[in-house]
Amino acid sequence: MRHTEDILLRTSRIGKKFGGLSALSDVTLHIQRGEIYGLIGPNGAGKTTLFNVLTGLYQPSAGEFQFNGAPYRAGKPHVLARAGIARTFQNIRLFANLTALENVMIGRHVRTRAGVFGALLRNRATRDEERAITERSRELLSYVGIEKPGQTLAKHLSYGEQRRLEIARALATDPLLLALDEPAAGMNATETASLKTLLQTIRDSGITVLLIEHDVKLIMGLCDRVAVLDYGKKIAEGVPEQVRKDPAVIAAYLGGGDE
Amino acid sequence: MKANHKSKLLLAALVIALLLLPFITDALLGRSWVRIVDFAMLYIMLALGLNIVVGYAGLLDLGYIAFFAVGAYCYALTGSPHLALAFPMMFPAGVHLPFWIVLPMAALVAGGFGVLLGAPTLRLRGDYLAIVTLGFGEIIRIFLNNLDAPVNLTNGPQGISRIDPVSVAGVSLNSTQHIFGIAFPAVHLYFYLFLAFTALVVFVSQRLERSRIGRAWMAIREDEVAASAMGIDTRNLKLLAFAMGAMSGGASGALFAGFQGFVSPESFSLMESVMVLCMVVLGGMGNIAGVILGGILLALLPEVLRHIVVPAQQALFGRTLVDPESLRMLLFGTALIVMMLYRPAGLLPSRVRRRELGADEPAAETSVYDATH
């Protein structure tokens, strides 16, 4: 565990209402640099809603958050991506008809600069940049463990590979915080185990990871700290061992079955 | 290496064929056909411009002809005596700007209109966007139709005539020129001018397609939410797509005005927008070669019918039973239905479209990709 006192993300009293329904209320938490932070909770607890607020897809109804020292209230997705939050989606959202390599290359967009004139003139700077994009994207594909050729269409990859491709695409944006929305959903035991290794490697490379997961075993074995949401409220936060014993958590989530 | 050499030879052959095309057409089919080919080139330019909007960025635009109209009226107003009517004090002889100033201006003004259309429609997708763009196209046409009062800006439905011909380096393209003892009639000269601009649009499209910008457009087309989450500023890139498409339309419109010497609102009806969109869809959305093929086919079809159907009916029945115009729509409708059933991705589908419809062969594709990269 490499806890530093440095805080990467701090939310303060974030609330989100959909009409009369309060999906999130008063969620205050912080994520430290270099940790794997787990977000768990029963279905409908507001985990993905919080994710969407943090990545700019939703505007919070109340509260705000600080990321890497800058305050955000109503962020736009591309602004937050530029600031360094990259995400994957619960229901995989790849560019299905583009190749695996192109998917990752699109992730490099935010860190590269060639515009219309660069594209038209295709000058040295643009060519060098294109080469760097391709190279880095190839590296990322093998980094996440996609062995198939980069020219394979995203939609022709296996389910586990698609999940990994989403991670590679997110990593291509050079994030400070990698936010993963149920990356292990639908994976078998082997795939989950190698995902766990991948996430540890990513953490060790210095990228902070925010993880929503249903697989409690994975969360408990992987996360440095965990927050539990229930009905849009944070009911517990701390190291996994401590959260596991929290009576409120047991009542809300772990007590319900043998998950 | 060998394939590269071969493709260079093919390209050279294509260029020579294109340079000879007006003379061959003239010799085989007559002067009027050269004019038809000239118009086909304008349509190809339009279709390529629309392809940027629809094929790359996936924004369905049903009012594209409006940008053609804007370009055409730009040229008409700044290259004819017409403005003398509206502002006799300011421009007693009208405005007669040289072509090389008017053309970029027309492209830029049309590009501006592209942004103007794009800005309010950023949140719309698919059908909703199509409806708004359709409305925009009609608004432009109706404005042109009615802006003859209180100030006579567009001369209303009568249109603007006596537009200056295009002149390149002091040489008017409206009269036969002799170069190296070869006579180049006006229609031939315009053909070369249009060919040069079409080549330019092809070049621009191709470069954009394989660039950071092109990839971002494709990402938006595939999944806008994911694209924005990956840091793509969807607003700016959609506006850029509208602007780039509109600029090509505007340039094409200016060339049209110079070539025709006359513009009126009826050249810019909804039907024209639909035709240009059909060229893109029929040929193969997102694929430059496909779009060119679609443009050629649809621009030539009505003329071919006019020249074949009437004489054939005369010969068979002694009179004309079916008007070529109605036959054209009939054939066109049938062709579209057949296309959608058997080749939904277009005659020459793009790499991506082909995959979308599941008719791809991964092995072959990989080799093509490797060869071109």
Side-chain angles (χ1 to χ4, degrees):
Chain A
M1 301 221 185
R2 312 178 321 152
H3 280 194
T4 56
E5 287 311 299
D6 201 355
I7 287 168
L8 179 63
L9 177 87
R10 183 197 292 280
T11 73
S12 49
R13 304 177 66 89
I14 285 199
K16 176 69 187 170
K17 285 198 167 89
F18 294 105
L21 180 79
S22 179
L24 286 178
S25 57
D26 280 348
V27 177
T28 298
L29 48 81
H30 68 274
I31 300 176
Q32 290 168 347
R33 282 182 206 269
E35 71 177 349
I36 298 185
Y37 189 92
L39 196 57
I40 60 174
N43 282 327
K47 303 182 298 288
T48 299
T49 307
L50 180 60
F51 240 59
N52 286 343
V53 168
L54 294 180
T55 53
L57 286 185
Y58 292 163
Q59 307 308 325
S61 326
E64 56 167 32
F65 60 98
Q66 268 200 341
F67 179 73
N68 201 20
Y72 295 92
R73 198 182 135 62
K76 287 209 174 95
H78 72 268
V79 175
L80 286 162
R82 181 170 293 279
I85 302 182
R87 69 170 292 170
T88 65
F89 294 87
Q90 188 175 345
N91 44 342
I92 303 173
R93 297 188 82 147
L94 287 166
F95 307 118
N97 299 299
L98 304 180
T99 66
L101 188 66
E102 282 167 334
N103 268 273
V104 186
M105 288 169 84
I106 287 166
R108 290 302 293 160
H109 180 91
V110 71
R111 299 292 170 225
T112 46
R113 8 180 353 115
V116 172
F117 292 106
L120 294 185
L121 302 174
R122 204 170 277 181
N123 50 357
R124 177 169 283 277
T126 310
R127 289 197 309 268
D128 289 350
E129 185 179 280
E130 279 290 300
R131 203 172 307 125
I133 291 173
T134 317
E135 224 163 81
R136 177 95 177 100
S137 305
R138 290 228 164 90
E139 276 169 27
L140 282 167
L141 278 181
S142 69
Y143 182 74
V144 301
I146 293 177
E147 304 300 339
K148 285 192 187 141
Q151 277 71 41
T152 315
L153 296 186
K155 68 176 178 192
H156 289 164
L157 294 173
S158 75
Y159 181 81
E161 285 170 326
Q162 293 194 9
R163 288 261 176 226
R164 285 159 173 280
L165 181 56
E166 262 208 320
I167 295 176
R169 186 179 67 177
L171 285 176
T173 65
D174 290 346
L176 299 171
L177 177 70
L178 177 66
L180 305 170
D181 196 347
E182 296 197 26
M187 282 188 171
N188 61 33
T190 330
E191 286 172 326
T192 307
S194 70
L195 175 75
K196 187 176 166 185
T197 319
L198 174 63
L199 294 185
Q200 279 163 339
T201 317
I202 290 171
R203 190 253 322 260
D204 292 342
S205 76
I207 296 170
T208 312
V209 178
L210 168 62
L211 188 64
I212 290 183
E213 195 43 74
H214 265 314
D215 187 335
V216 173
K217 231 195 280 174
L218 180 69
I219 284 276
M220 293 300 171
L222 188 61
C223 294
D224 300 312
R225 287 192 311 127
V226 176
V228 186
L229 287 185
D230 192 26
Y231 293 107
K233 290 194 174 69
K234 188 179 83 173
I235 57 169
E237 185 181 22
V239 294
E241 296 75 36
Q242 179 195 330
V243 166
R244 198 208 297 261
K245 292 182 195 127
D246 194 308
V249 176
I250 295 169
Y253 187 67
L254 300 178
D258 56 358
E259 275 192 75
Chain B
M1 216 53 229
K2 209 169 182 187
N4 196 6
H5 194 64
K6 205 172 160 188
S7 69
K8 265 185 189 154
L9 272 178
L10 268 174
L11 187 70
L14 183 71
V15 169
I16 293 171
L18 281 173
L19 290 178
L20 291 176
L21 186 66
F23 289 97
I24 298 170
T25 313
D26 195 5
L28 294 179
L29 298 163
R31 189 69 38 103
S32 67
W33 277 90
V34 183
R35 201 178 158 74
I36 292 165
V37 171
D38 286 358
F39 274 111
M41 298 295 281
L42 288 174
Y43 273 117
I44 291 171
M45 243 182 278
L46 278 176
L48 284 168
L50 184 61
N51 183 48
I52 293 177
V53 185
V54 182
Y56 295 166
L59 304 162
L60 184 51
D61 184 350
L62 280 181
Y64 184 67
I65 209 71
F67 305 123
F68 187 61
V70 168
Y73 270 84
C74 259
Y75 189 95
L77 288 175
T78 53
S80 77
H82 174 74
L83 276 187
L85 286 177
F87 310 103
M89 307 301 282
M90 268 159 80
F91 311 114
V95 184
H96 299 276
L97 292 177
F99 172 70
W100 292 114
I101 292 176
V102 175
L103 187 82
M105 190 190 74
L108 284 178
V109 171
F113 272 88
V115 174
L116 204 66
L117 164 68
T121 60
L122 285 168
R123 290 163 166 274
L124 304 177
R125 284 175 215 181
D127 322 3
Y128 301 98
L129 178 63
I131 295 293
V132 175
T133 52
L134 188 151
F136 175 80
E138 284 300 280
I139 288 169
I140 295 286
R141 186 182 61 81
I142 292 165
F143 257 103
L144 295 176
N145 223 354
N146 291 291
L147 269 185
D148 50 355
V151 178
N152 187 353
L153 206 58
T154 65
N155 209 21
Q158 284 106 347
I160 298 173
S161 53
R162 289 193 292 149
I163 299 171
D164 302 343
V166 178
S167 73
V168 179
V171 179
S172 166
L173 296 194
N174 254 29
S175 52
T176 305
Q177 302 290 341
H178 294 270
I179 303 164
F180 301 127
I182 307 167
F184 288 83
V187 278
H188 290 41
L189 294 170
Y190 275 106
F191 174 83
Y192 293 122
L193 180 73
F194 294 175
L195 183 64
F197 277 99
T198 307
L200 180 70
V201 178
V202 168
F203 174 80
V204 169
S205 301
Q206 203 167 23
R207 281 275 162 107
L208 284 176
E209 187 184 341
R210 294 180 186 177
S211 71
R212 172 173 173 268
I213 302 288
R215 277 195 302 273
W217 281 339
M218 283 189 259
I220 292 173
R221 188 189 64 203
E222 292 282 314
D223 187 330
E224 201 174 326
V225 171
S228 69
M230 287 306 113
I232 290 170
D233 186 344
T234 52
R235 182 195 62 178
N236 285 0
L237 276 152
K238 282 160 100 173
L239 287 180
L240 181 66
F242 271 119
M244 296 300 291
M247 281 174 77
S248 173
S252 174
L255 293 170
F256 167 77
F259 177 50
Q260 183 95 325
F262 167 74
V263 293
S264 78
E266 66 178 31
S267 309
F268 312 111
S269 64
L270 173 64
M271 203 51 216
E272 293 294 318
S273 286
V274 173
M275 282 306 282
V276 177
L277 184 64
C278 284
M279 290 171 186
V280 176
V281 174
L282 188 84
M285 219 185 280
N287 182 19
I288 295 170
V291 170
I292 294 174
L293 179 67
I296 295 173
L297 286 181
L298 289 193
L300 294 187
L301 176 76
E303 305 302 329
V304 172
L305 285 179
R306 191 170 308 159
H307 285 81
I308 291 176
V309 170
V310 176
Q313 290 189 50
Q314 293 284 2
L316 281 174
F317 314 112
R319 62 200 167 97
T320 310
L321 292 172
V322 189
D323 172 44
E325 189 61 15
S326 10
L327 193 66
R328 173 187 148 210
M329 292 323 271
L330 185 74
L331 278 179
F332 186 48
T334 317
L336 274 184
I337 293 171
V338 171
M339 284 286 304
M340 286 306 124
L341 285 175
Y342 295 103
R343 283 194 81 90
L347 293 172
L348 295 176
S350 77
R351 205 161 50 95
V352 175
R353 253 338 120 161
R354 209 162 48 223
R355 298 169 194 161
E356 258 166 45
L357 295 147
D360 55 318
E361 302 134 68
E365 206 160 75
T366 306
S367 64
V368 168
Y369 192 90
D370 285 340
T372 51
H373 286 73

